[in-house]
Amino acid sequence: MKAWRFHGTGRPLTLEEVETPRAGPGEVIVDVKAAGLCASDMGALHEPEWMASFPRLPMTLGHENAGVISEVGPGMDRWQVGDRVGLSPMIPDGDAIGYGTWDGGYGPKVRATEANLVRLPAELSFELGAVATDAGLTAYHAMVALGGAQGGMRVGVIGLGGLGYLGARIAVLKGAEVYAAETNPATRELAAEIGLAGVAESISEFADKNLPLIVDYAGFGTTTAQAVEALPESGTLVQVGLGRPESTVNTQAIIFKQLKILGSLSGTQQDLTELYELMGGGELEPPIHRITPARIPEGLELLRQGGVLGRLVACYDD
């Protein structure tokens, strides 16, 4: 089979013939139906600090995957050929599909373990199922599992890109009153679609709203600093975005206001199961732009240029 192979930062993806994977003990093979494109893959192509996540090269990127099980290995009796699944990317040993030693969905088949598999409800498309496995999963874990967003709560969201759109919408569906910061004027126009109570260029403009929770899905340094300033006493910042690897923040504000700052990475199988249930209501459908697998490198470049509203998803034909 052919897959898009990653050879290291500063080098383009190349379409190569690779060995078709087989299911070992405790594994299944999933025929990928949809693979989401993520900014972290774009980052790996252009930013050297990502190389620590790739001890084996070349490899196949792609950590947002949904598809159909086509082979079941020994010890996986709970699963059958033909089952529709989404793949929570994390492996129990800290590895992940699309990183480390596990090839991802920028190829037509992937290996997965029991820890990755979540049943994809029949009413959800493979495209939605794929977006949920990383963008949705990461957004949900930060907003609900760590942030504790719930009905009647005021919540701040920074960044309305792929993750932020989902995180804000999840908070709205949980019954929270959501205020968002977004620098792109076109993206700010999504406020009514998401159900926001307010949107502005900076979260600083909502400092008077007494937001006990702010989730930063952008992470461009200044956004983190602005969140610290905007939080009230005993407020919580959940940091998700990594637009810049460093930020300078007001430590006096952290101490005097007794703030809590949490880092959030990916999510759990349980998070993904709950997210699929939430998506089943039909009220959580982010903008999705479908492309062919042949256009994966082109799509990643579009992400780099900031020319995508919503999520890009590569769809494999039957």
Side-chain angles (χ1 to χ4, degrees):
M1 71 179 198
K2 289 188 179 295
W4 288 104
R5 302 289 275 176
F6 173 60
H7 288 262
T9 299
R11 302 178 65 181
L13 295 182
T14 56
L15 189 61
E16 302 173 16
E17 189 70 31
V18 297
E19 185 176 350
T20 301
R22 301 302 304 269
E27 298 176 354
V28 301
I29 299 300
V30 176
D31 287 357
V32 180
K33 298 300 182 182
L37 277 62
C38 183
S40 61
D41 290 336
M42 176 270 293
L45 288 167
H46 299 283
E47 300 168 10
E49 57 264 29
W50 284 94
M51 286 306 299
S53 299
F54 301 100
R56 175 181 65 90
L57 293 175
M59 70 162 301
T60 306
L61 298 179
H63 52 273
E64 296 186 8
N65 305 297
V68 176
I69 292 177
S70 59
E71 183 183 342
V72 178
M76 295 291 282
D77 298 339
R78 196 166 75 88
W79 301 96
Q80 296 181 346
V81 171
D83 285 346
R84 302 171 84 248
V85 293
L87 298 181
S88 179
M90 298 302 295
I91 305 292
D93 64 3
D95 217 334
I97 293 173
Y99 289 94
T101 59
W102 292 75
D103 286 328
Y106 293 171
K109 291 177 180 285
V110 297
R111 290 164 52 234
T113 71
E114 179 69 47
N116 305 118
L117 300 171
V118 175
R119 296 188 188 277
L120 181 63
E123 63 269 22
L124 295 184
S125 69
F126 288 113
E127 293 92 334
L128 275 175
V131 167
T133 61
D134 182 52
L137 180 63
T138 301
Y140 186 94
H141 184 73
M143 181 61 69
V144 179
L146 288 184
Q150 58 184 319
M153 188 176 182
R154 287 184 174 179
V155 174
V157 169
I158 301 177
L160 292 175
L163 270 66
Y165 177 103
L166 288 162
R169 183 63 181 153
I170 287 166
V172 168
L173 293 175
K174 289 287 185 180
E177 184 177 311
V178 182
Y179 297 84
E182 170 58 53
T183 58
N184 187 333
T187 307
R188 288 201 296 272
E189 294 178 5
L190 300 174
E193 175 183 312
I194 297 171
L196 300 177
V199 63
E201 276 197 58
S202 170
I203 202 66
S204 302
E205 298 187 42
F206 300 118
D208 63 339
K209 298 298 183 182
N210 195 38
L211 305 171
L213 170 66
I214 296 176
V215 183
D216 182 2
Y217 290 105
F220 280 96
T222 55
T223 59
T224 307
Q226 289 162 1
V228 167
E229 297 287 355
L231 281 168
E233 187 167 349
S234 300
T236 297
L237 167 63
V238 180
Q239 188 65 44
V240 183
L242 197 59
R244 296 287 183 273
E246 297 178 352
S247 176
T248 300
V249 298
N250 184 343
T251 51
Q252 185 179 51
I254 295 172
I255 295 167
F256 282 20
K257 292 193 287 185
Q258 301 185 80
L259 303 181
K260 182 186 294 183
I261 300 178
L262 304 173
S264 184
L265 178 67
S266 192
T268 67
Q269 278 182 307
Q270 183 60 36
D271 292 332
L272 185 55
T273 299
E274 293 174 7
L275 181 58
Y276 280 160
E277 291 175 359
L278 193 62
M279 284 180 152
E283 296 184 281
L284 183 59
E285 294 195 17
I288 291 177
H289 307 280
R290 296 163 177 82
I291 63 172
T292 64
R295 295 183 60 202
I296 285 174
E298 177 187 344
L300 291 171
E301 182 59 26
L302 283 174
L303 287 181
R304 185 186 183 198
Q305 296 170 5
V308 180
L309 292 178
R311 303 296 290 185
L312 284 173
V313 179
C315 299
Y316 289 81
D317 294 331
D318 291 330

